[in-house]
C-alpha cells in the first residue's frame, strides 16, 4: 500500500535529503511539505503547503497521511533569542505532533539531539529533552526518536561550532577509538534512518536511537 508522508523542516540539512529519498521510495506515493517559504521542488509526488506555523487552523486540515517526519531545528544565532528558538524547536514541532495525532496519523518520527535531557542545565539540551518527553506521551501507534551525533553536510547558514566539532572528532577518533560512536554523521544517513525506523521493531510503539545506533539503522534494510 502506498503511503503519504508529511514533513516539517523539509528544507534543512536532513529534511531536504529526506524529501529526495521519499520521492525515490516506491512505498510513498505522496510527500506533503509544510514550509514557511516555497521550496520550489517540482515533482509529481510532492505537495507543498506554504504556511504560517502560528496559524494552526490554516494548516491542520491538510495534515493527513501515514507518517509525520519532524526535522525542524535552528540555532540561537539564527533564531535571535531563546524564546524564538524555543518556538521553532519545541512549540511548532509539538503543535504539529499533537495535530497529527488528532488527525489519526499513525506514525511519528522525530530528530532530537544526542544530548537531549529535560533535566539538563543547558538550554538547548533541556528543550530537546522536554520535546522528547511530551511527544512520547502522545497516542501514536509508532513513535521513533533519533538522537544522532553532530550532523555533517552543507547548510545554508554557517555553524562554526558544528564545523569545529566535526574537525576535532575527525582528528581524535583514529587515536581514541572509544569516540567512534560520536563520529559525525551525514544528513542523508539520518534521513535514511528516519525511513528505516518505520520498519524496525514494527510491533514496538516507541523506540529511541542514539549516536551510532542511528548510523546502523541507516543501512539496516
Amino acid at each position: 500500500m502506498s503511503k503519504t508522508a508529511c514533513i516539517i523542516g523539509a528544507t534543512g540539512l536532513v529534511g531536504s535529503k529526506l524529501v529526495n529519498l521519499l520521492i525515490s521510495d516506491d512505498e510513498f506515493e505522496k510527500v506533503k511539505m509544510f514550509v514557511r517559504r516555497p521550496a520550489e521542488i517540482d515533482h509529481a509526488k510532492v505537495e507543498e503547503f506554504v504556511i504560517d506555523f502560528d496559524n494552526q487552523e490554516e494548516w491542520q486540515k491538510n495534515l493527513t497521511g501515514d507518517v509525520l517526519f519532524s526535522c525542524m531545528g535552528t540555532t540561537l544565532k539564527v533564531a535571535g533569542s531563546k524564546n524564538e528558538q524555543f518556538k521553532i524547536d519545541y512549540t511548532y514541532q509539538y503543535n504539529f505532533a499533537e495535530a497529527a495525532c488528532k488527525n489519526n496519523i499513525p506514525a511519528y518520527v522525530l530528530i532530537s539531539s544526542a544530548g537531549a535531557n529535560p533535566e539538563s542545565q543547558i538550554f538547548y539540551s533541556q528543550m530537546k529533552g522536554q520535546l522528547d518527553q511530551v511527544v512520547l506521551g502522545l497516542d501514536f501507534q509508532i513513535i521513533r526518536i533519533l538522537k544522532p551525533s553532530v550532523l555533517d553536510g552543507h547548510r545554508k547558514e554557517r555553524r562554526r561550532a558544528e564545523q569545529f566539532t566535526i574537525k576535532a572528532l575527525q582528528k581524535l577518533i583514529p587515536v581514541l577509538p572509544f569516540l567512534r560512536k560520536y563520529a559525525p554523521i551525514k544528513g542523508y544517513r539520518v534521513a535514511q534512518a528516519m525511513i528505516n525506523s518505520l520498519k524496525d521493531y514494527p510491533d514496538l510503539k516507541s523506540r529511541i536511537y542514539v549516536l551510532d545506533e542511528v548510523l546502523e539503522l541507516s543501512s539496516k534494510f
Side-chain angles (χ1 to χ4, degrees):
M1 182 179 69
S2 295
K3 300 176 182 177
T4 294
C6 299
I7 307 177
I8 56 173
T11 59
L13 174 59
V14 175
S16 59
K17 304 298 184 186
L18 178 60
V19 171
N20 290 334
L21 288 172
L22 291 171
I23 286 173
S24 61
D25 191 327
D26 291 337
E27 288 192 24
F28 291 88
E29 66 176 355
K30 183 179 290 187
V31 180
K32 292 183 175 181
M33 296 170 49
F34 295 83
V35 294
R36 283 174 286 187
R37 291 176 293 275
E40 299 178 352
I41 297 177
D42 185 16
H43 193 280
K45 275 190 177 184
V46 175
E47 188 172 3
E48 182 180 85
F49 299 93
V50 180
I51 65 167
D52 175 0
F53 279 81
D54 290 310
N55 187 355
Q56 188 161 336
E57 289 185 1
E58 172 192 340
W59 51 258
Q60 183 167 344
K61 61 183 179 295
N62 295 312
L63 187 62
T64 57
D66 300 282
V67 56
L68 170 62
F69 292 106
S70 193
C71 313
M72 291 186 79
T74 188
T75 63
L76 182 58
K77 181 179 179 180
V78 172
S81 70
K82 287 184 178 180
N83 284 341
E84 286 301 310
Q85 187 179 21
F86 189 87
K87 181 188 288 188
I88 294 168
D89 276 44
Y90 180 96
T91 305
Y92 289 163
Q93 294 201 86
Y94 177 72
N95 287 348
F96 257 81
E98 184 180 45
C101 191
K102 288 180 179 178
N103 287 359
N104 297 315
I105 291 179
Y108 176 67
V109 184
L110 170 69
I111 299 178
S112 182
S113 167
N117 182 344
E119 304 300 324
S120 176
Q121 298 302 305
I122 300 170
F123 170 73
Y124 181 81
S125 298
Q126 182 186 83
M127 173 178 60
K128 289 293 189 181
Q130 289 172 345
L131 180 61
D132 294 350
Q133 192 173 59
V134 293
V135 297
L136 283 169
L138 293 174
D139 194 24
F140 289 103
Q141 294 177 26
I142 294 174
I143 299 172
R144 299 291 181 263
I145 297 176
L146 279 63
K147 297 184 175 185
S149 184
V150 61
L151 300 177
D152 186 10
H154 175 72
R155 294 186 185 272
K156 294 178 181 178
E157 79 277 2
R158 191 173 184 183
R159 298 189 179 184
R160 295 181 184 276
E162 282 186 0
Q163 292 172 348
F164 174 81
T165 302
I166 289 170
K167 289 179 181 179
L169 285 169
Q170 288 172 339
K171 291 180 180 179
L172 289 171
I173 287 172
V175 295
L176 299 173
F178 69 89
L179 291 176
R180 192 171 303 279
K181 67 179 180 179
Y182 298 101
I185 182 169
K186 293 290 186 181
Y188 78 90
R189 288 281 195 182
V190 179
Q192 186 63 66
M194 293 183 83
I195 297 173
N196 289 355
S197 72
L198 298 171
K199 308 171 187 176
D200 201 35
Y201 296 97
D203 297 325
L204 195 64
K205 176 182 176 178
S206 61
R207 175 80 159 85
I208 297 174
Y209 300 87
V210 298
L211 296 170
D212 51 341
E213 291 179 337
V214 179
L215 182 61
E216 292 173 8
L217 180 62
S218 71
S219 56
K220 193 166 184 179
F221 298 97

